[in-house]
């Protein structure tokens, strides 16, 4: 929603994303512009929490509609206001069912202001956008969410009462393939997400500060491809990379993901038990998790050794010496040796640590869940787990 305030650091991003999922109010607060495309868009912005208080000039020429100085207020929070200096709607068509189809939507200089913080973004551009009709949103109809080809948001700044606490250089997302109404492939990235650690009150931030981090810069990227005919999902690389911290990456391949399963999962978003039952029909073909250190491990070891009153080599020796006892529950001497050797090598010379699951045949999720409850020590065997360090 436009005025969601679940946390100060999430305030801006949730607001920007909400531009595409607003609920329509039964009566319009703004005077119609006379342009059907502009009026359809403003109607969507005129939500139950938000009201289009005013707008400036509206120009239409050659399939391009420009709206200047949109102001949106909140009936339940007098201190909250959203302004958009320029909105450009390209090749817009209001379909017979009331949905708004746009070749592109561009917002410039969007700002949310409130007493406890705010958010600004320089530009947001969405291509091949299909927005639901106001009536569909009012009726809370399913499967009428916004669809798009690509999304790009530039230069986001998030602040609290004391000033700016976070910024993001760029957010990108694209849908690269479709099967009817279902996306089959896509990719996304978040670049230059920088957080002022000292300005965040969460316990995690205090831990980072104790490790010597004043700011935290993170880049996130990922892609995925779903083949509905083969019922497989491949995620080649989902990566979270913290500058001077560490990079964590994940790749996996799953099976049993049919069109019917995807549709049922979408319909069961509010029913966790039903979603869990659907997941049990999936299979795991392979998984790889990799950690590449960039100073985090050394900082943690230094701090923990200091707290224990010993030097780092002595602290590492104590950790690695206890591994055989801890890993004995696996009842797998070969894996126990591999894990002990890999972790010992990594702690003494932090580089990379990689865990793989490469079963000879896809393993049903139901089998994994059942084994985890009845005989968890068998999980490494059925998934053929492996671990390596600094490779």
């Amino acid at each position: 929603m436009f005025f969601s305030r679940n946390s100060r650091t999430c305030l801006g991003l949730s607001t920007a994303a909400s531009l595409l999922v607003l609920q329509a109010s039964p009566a319009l607060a703004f005077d119609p512009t006379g342009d059907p495309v502009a009026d359809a868009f403003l109607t969507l912005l005129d939500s139950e929490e938000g009201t289009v208080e005013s707008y400036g000039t509206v120009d239409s020429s050659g399939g391009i509609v420009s709206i200047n100085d949109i102001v949106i207020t909140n009936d339940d929070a007098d201190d909250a206001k959203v302004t958009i200096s320029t909105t450009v709607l390209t090749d817009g068509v209001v379909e017979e069912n009331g949905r708004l189809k746009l070749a592109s939507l561009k917002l410039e200089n969007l700002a949310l202001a409130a007493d406890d913080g705010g958010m600004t973004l320089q530009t947001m551009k969405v291509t091949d956008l299909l927005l639901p009709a106001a009536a569909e949103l009012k009726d809370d109809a399913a499967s009428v969410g916004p669809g798009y080809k690509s999304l790009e948001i530039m230069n986001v700044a998030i602040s609290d009462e004391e000033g700016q606490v976070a910024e993001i250089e760029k957010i990108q997302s694209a849908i690269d393939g479709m099967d009817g109404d279902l996306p089959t492939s896509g990719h996304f990235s978040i670049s230059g997400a920088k957080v002022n650690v000292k300005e965040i009150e969460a316990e995690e931030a205090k831990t980072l500060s104790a490790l010597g981090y004043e700011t935290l810069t993170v880049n996130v990227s990922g892609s995925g491809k779903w083949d509905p005919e083969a019922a497989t999902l491949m995620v080649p690389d989902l990566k979270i990379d913290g500058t001077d911290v560490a990079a964590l990456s994940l790749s996996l391949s799953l099976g049993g993901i049919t069109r019917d399963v995807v549709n049922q999962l979408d319909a069961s978003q509010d029913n966790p038990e039903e979603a869990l039952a659907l997941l049990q029909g999936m299979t795991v073909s392979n998984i790889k998790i990799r950690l590449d250190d960039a100073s985090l491990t050394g900082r943690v070891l230094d701090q923990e050794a200091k707290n224990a009153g010993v030097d780092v080599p002595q602290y590492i020796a104590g950790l690695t010496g206890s591994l055989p006892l801890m890993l004995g529950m696996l009842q797998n001497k070969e894996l126990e040796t591999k894990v002990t050797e890999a972790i010992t090598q990594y702690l003494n010379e932090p580089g990379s640590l990689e865990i793989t699951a490469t079963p000879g045949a896809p393993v049903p999720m139901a089998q994994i869940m059942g084994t985890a409850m009845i005989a968890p020590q068998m999980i490494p065997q059925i998934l053929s787990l492996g671990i390596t360090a600094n490779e």
Side-chain angles (χ1 to χ4, degrees), residues 278-334:
L278 290 168
L279 290 175
Q280 293 190 48
M282 299 180 184
T283 60
V284 175
S285 297
N286 60 74
I287 301 174
K288 181 174 75 174
I289 303 172
R290 180 181 176 92
L291 177 69
D292 288 280
D293 183 68
S295 86
L296 177 62
T297 303
R299 292 172 187 248
V300 172
L301 290 174
D302 286 342
Q303 185 183 66
E304 293 301 315
K306 182 178 180 181
N307 292 339
V310 298
D311 59 23
V312 172
Q314 186 178 353
Y315 182 77
I316 293 175
L319 284 179
T320 56
S322 64
L323 284 174
L325 179 62
M326 296 170 59
L327 297 170
M329 62 171 291
L330 297 177
Q331 300 177 17
N332 185 325
K333 193 64 180 178
E334 181 182 359

Side-chain angles (χ1 to χ4, degrees), residues 8-9 160 162-166 194-202 204-216:
R8 291 171 183 168
T9 56
D160 63 9
E162 304 300 325
Q164 184 171 315
V165 296
K194 184 180 294 185
V195 177
N196 187 337
V197 174
K198 294 183 178 180
E199 295 295 330
I200 300 176
E201 299 176 359
E204 293 81 1
K206 295 179 182 178
T207 300
L208 289 170
S209 182
L211 292 174
Y213 292 105
E214 295 184 359
T215 61
L216 184 63

